[in-house]
Amino acid sequence: MTDRSRIVYGEDMGRPRGFDEAEVVRAAAALFADRVYDGVSVDDLVGHLGVHRNSLYKTFGSKRGLYLAALRRHLDDDVRPLAEAVAAADGPAAAADLVAGAGLDLLLLAAVERAPADPEVAALVGEALDVLDQALGAVLPAPDAAATGAFTSALLGLRIRARATDSTTEPGSAALARRFDIR
Amino acid sequence: MTDRSRIVYGEDMGRPRGFDEAEVVRAAAALFADRVYDGVSVDDLVGHLGVHRNSLYKTFGSKRGLYLAALRRHLDDDVRPLAEAVAAADGPAAAADLVAGAGLDLLLLAAVERAPADPEVAALVGEALDVLDQALGAVLPAPDAAATGAFTSALLGLRIRARATDSTTEPGSAALARRFDIR
DNA sequence: ATCGGTCAAGAACGATCGTTCCTAAACTTG
DNA sequence: CAAGTTTAGGAACGATCGTTCTTGACCGAT
């Protein structure tokens, strides 16, 4: 017979979850990628994520907690794999196309709107940019710190313009890569 | 007798204004330059602008109306003069320093967060970017459309990173300019 | 002096924000 | 089955959002 006073209740007791946490975070990242943080309401989240209010706060603590989880997942699932592909790319032009074609809007928005007001976001953004710097530096024929940083920033700038003018084509990345492909 | 002699009255004269409309728009532009549109409340505006709620709505119609006025003023008072200075600059490096040193945060924020959701903002942003393109194209030794567009975008990207990491120094502009200073 | 008009000051509106609370259903364990 | 725990489903909270309304002070023209 078990001693009742020693019973430690496991985490897997009770009603099982009706949602996949990883999938919820991924869906949240998608929402935060094309609207500003303040533009995504908790109602929007519970409406599109298949998770209900109570579970959201139980699991992530707050709207900001879910946002940070989404940003971390974006870094791990999108930025780092992209960086690996970039580092293995054949020259700056191919690398630029990879970055331009990747979905980095969440990182972009985080850098512009949240990082200046949220140190934790700023740290994650800085980490992501460093990862991209390192990868892009590996494909530049004559890399130096300032140049790789400028290359990374320039690619983000191209995406800004594409977002703002809703242009599907991005001929700028080729021109940019050519300017950085000097040896 | 009075310093109100400079005030131009409307057709139906009433009590003269206690605020300078141009100055209000300029102050609004400053507020919108370092916070997101949704992050600046009407209370913030009436608190910092020296204009009363009633007058704000009477003069600009809505918060969005004031924002659009601020963006137009930013274009006329900041972007266009900057473009003229850039076009007269001695080479890409000097031009890049001019752009990097100018306060283009309102344009940057507008491009990233408002343009995708507000066509009127998108039009103004596109106009501003075109103005900068034209000016930067004038100082590039071997200009072509794609390259100048990339140069403009790249300078915006540099500002993003500076904002996100709160770095006061911007060595990237020099490296960027060097890459674009080929002939 | 008085009238028509604008402006100033602030209360107040409905809507929506992020968050919390309550209740019932679902599931594991003893 | 009973006990215990966690979820789902919403209602509801106070705060704040953008906007409007009310009231009175002010000003130029009659």
Side-chain angles (χ1 to χ4, degrees):
Chain A
M1 205 54 175
T2 308
D3 183 1
R4 286 173 168 235
S5 62
R6 287 192 63 257
I7 292 182
V8 175
Y9 301 105
E11 313 164 356
D12 52 345
M13 292 184 65
R15 178 174 173 173
R17 285 183 167 167
F19 64 95
D20 182 359
E21 180 171 332
E23 195 168 341
V24 163
V25 174
R26 212 172 299 126
L31 277 184
F32 284 123
D34 58 30
R35 286 189 235 167
V36 186
Y37 177 79
D38 284 328
V40 179
S41 70
V42 177
D43 282 350
D44 290 333
L45 291 169
V46 302
H48 289 79
L49 268 51
V51 63
H52 273 90
R53 229 175 212 76
N54 222 348
S55 303
L56 192 156
Y57 279 89
K58 174 80 171 174
T59 308
F60 304 103
S62 65
K63 176 188 174 184
R64 177 174 174 269
L66 174 55
Y67 177 83
L68 287 174
L71 188 53
R72 286 197 199 92
R73 175 161 288 270
H74 181 50
L75 213 168
D76 290 338
D77 289 5
D78 301 326
V79 176
R80 292 191 194 278
L82 171 65
E84 291 181 17
V86 162
D90 184 24
D97 282 344
L98 281 173
V99 176
L104 293 184
D105 284 12
L106 178 52
L107 174 62
L108 177 63
L109 272 175
V112 173
E113 65 136 353
R114 297 306 300 166
D118 191 324
E120 206 158 343
V121 172
L124 288 171
V125 167
E127 193 180 336
L129 293 179
D130 286 345
V131 167
L132 290 176
D133 277 349
Q134 210 165 354
L136 287 170
V139 296
L140 283 186
D144 63 276
T148 53
F151 195 27
T152 303
S153 304
L155 288 170
L156 284 184
L158 283 180
R159 177 64 194 142
I160 289 183
R161 186 159 201 172
R163 259 180 75 95
T165 60
D166 200 12
S167 61
T168 49
T169 60
E170 305 195 26
S173 65
L176 183 66
R178 194 169 349 109
R179 298 293 180 142
F180 274 86
D181 196 7
I182 57 179
R183 61 206 79 205
Chain B
M1 113 191 194
T2 173
D3 57 349
R4 298 190 198 275
S5 56
R6 310 177 317 175
I7 298 179
V8 178
Y9 295 91
E11 13 185 324
D12 293 330
M13 304 192 177
R15 177 176 173 174
R17 284 183 169 166
F19 64 95
D20 181 0
E21 180 171 331
E23 193 168 342
V24 163
V25 175
R26 213 172 298 126
L31 277 183
F32 284 124
D34 58 30
R35 286 190 237 167
V36 187
Y37 177 79
D38 285 328
V40 179
S41 68
V42 176
D43 281 350
D44 290 333
L45 291 169
V46 302
H48 290 79
L49 267 51
V51 64
H52 202 266
R53 226 181 213 71
N54 224 348
S55 304
L56 191 157
Y57 279 89
K58 175 80 171 174
T59 309
F60 304 103
S62 65
K63 176 187 174 184
R64 176 173 176 270
L66 174 55
Y67 178 83
L68 288 173
L71 188 54
R72 287 197 198 90
R73 175 161 288 270
H74 180 50
L75 213 169
D76 290 337
D77 288 6
D78 301 326
V79 176
R80 293 191 193 279
L82 171 66
E84 292 182 15
V86 162
D90 184 24
D97 283 344
L98 281 173
V99 176
L104 293 185
D105 284 12
L106 178 53
L107 174 61
L108 177 63
L109 273 175
V112 174
E113 65 138 352
R114 296 306 300 167
D118 192 324
E120 205 158 343
V121 172
L124 288 171
V125 167
E127 191 179 339
L129 292 180
D130 286 345
V131 167
L132 290 176
D133 277 349
Q134 209 164 352
L136 286 171
V139 296
L140 283 186
D144 62 275
T148 54
F151 195 28
T152 303
S153 304
L155 288 170
L156 284 183
L158 283 179
R159 178 63 194 141
I160 289 184
R161 186 159 201 172
R163 261 180 73 95
T165 61
D166 201 12
S167 61
T168 50
T169 61
E170 305 194 26
S173 65
L176 183 66
R178 193 167 351 107
R179 299 294 180 140
F180 275 85
D181 196 6
I182 58 179
R183 60 205 82 209

